[in-house]
Amino acid sequence: MNFLELVKTRQSVRKYSSQAIEPEKIEQCIEAARLAPSACNSQPWKFIILNDEDIKNKVARETYNMVVQFNKFVVEAPLIVVLMMEKPKVISQIGGRIKNKDFYLMDVGIASEHFCLQATELGLGTCILGWFNEKKIAEILKIPKNKRIGLIITVGYPHDDIIRTKIRKSTQEVLKINSYD
Ligand SMILES: Cc1cc2nc3c(=O)[nH]c(=O)nc-3n(C[C@H](O)[C@H](O)[C@H](O)COP(=O)(O)O)c2cc1C
């Protein structure tokens, strides 16, 4: 699969088969995420793999509630990875403050996509989650009070092999040449 094919194949997978995930595949995804670029090479991340059924289920139940139900599929995910946002290097923090941009957010976003693209290449399906009860999950995972969870990724073999057509803005809408006009 060439790179663009890989990008087109990666999609949010919200239904998984019961096929067990080989631990070395997860290691490879972590390796891809670990090698991601970051502002000032700060690498402001940590990855928590949840493969314990009980812990995973407790966390999964905190990604939806009575009102917001769209993450209910998470309870069926064979594996969950939590991406922690760690303190960036001071130089990245200063740069971020001067430029009024939270570089560590971008860093964690890039690492998460590295993870997902590697997973796709290995035949795994993933879904990045931004909606969850951070406080409750932090309690379950014994995360110190001063630390934040960035994103959560569900992982598993897809239930089917259908690749959906991507719903995206057209190139015309998103591309400008030489000027914003
Ligand atoms: C930062 C971020 C947060 C997201 N949060 C959720 C989420 O909480 N639940 C969910 O089902 N999908 C979530 N998604 C997946 C997006 O809905 C999905 O990537 C987008 O609709 C494009 O579809 P595709 O991933 O299948 O190409 C999130 C994606 C990103 C990048």
Side-chain angles (χ1 to χ4, degrees):
M1 206 177 338
N2 70 32
F3 184 71
L4 198 53
E5 283 164 355
L6 180 65
V7 168
K8 286 179 181 169
T9 305
R10 196 237 27 101
Q11 60 186 357
S12 294
V13 173
R14 299 185 178 90
K15 202 160 188 232
Y16 301 97
S17 85
S18 55
Q19 192 182 336
I21 307 168
E22 300 83 342
E24 57 273 19
K25 289 198 174 180
I26 297 304
E27 278 168 31
Q28 206 171 320
C29 295
I30 296 290
E31 184 63 357
R34 188 182 72 81
L35 296 175
S38 57
C40 305
N41 202 16
S42 231
Q43 304 162 64
W45 47 58
K46 270 201 171 63
F47 311 97
I48 310 176
I49 294 172
L50 309 184
N51 55 13
D52 176 278
E53 199 65 15
D54 186 43
I55 296 174
K56 181 180 71 66
N57 289 340
K58 278 186 187 150
V59 167
R61 283 196 289 270
E62 299 301 340
T63 63
Y64 63 92
N65 56 36
M66 296 284 277
V67 184
V68 183
Q69 300 261 311
F70 55 78
N71 280 342
K72 243 185 154 173
F73 74 93
V74 178
V75 287
E76 307 291 339
L79 190 114
I80 290 176
V81 179
V82 175
L83 271 77
M84 296 299 304
M85 297 191 290
E86 295 294 318
K87 216 170 179 194
K89 281 183 186 168
V90 173
I91 184 77
S92 174
Q93 287 179 47
I94 294 170
R97 229 166 281 151
I98 292 169
K99 293 294 165 198
N100 191 24
K101 273 189 196 132
D102 291 329
F103 293 126
Y104 64 93
L105 295 176
M106 304 178 199
D107 298 339
V108 170
I110 295 168
S112 71
E113 181 64 347
H114 269 216
F115 183 103
C116 294
L117 287 171
Q118 179 59 82
T120 304
E121 204 232 355
L122 296 169
L124 291 164
T126 56
C127 187
I128 297 172
L129 310 177
W131 182 276
F132 47 83
N133 187 330
E134 186 176 352
K135 199 162 170 269
K136 286 272 170 58
I137 294 175
E139 277 167 28
I140 297 164
L141 301 180
K142 303 184 179 111
I143 293 168
K145 286 216 166 14
N146 61 337
K147 305 244 176 229
R148 303 272 331 254
I149 300 171
L151 294 165
I152 289 177
I153 304 177
T154 56
V155 192
Y157 281 99
H159 175 259
D160 57 52
D161 54 11
I162 300 163
I163 304 297
R164 303 184 299 270
T165 305
K166 294 244 178 286
I167 302 164
R168 295 293 189 266
K169 292 178 184 172
S170 68
T171 307
Q172 211 186 4
E173 279 176 281
V174 300
L175 178 68
K176 301 284 177 187
I177 313 273
N178 294 325
S179 151
Y180 193 89
D181 291 348

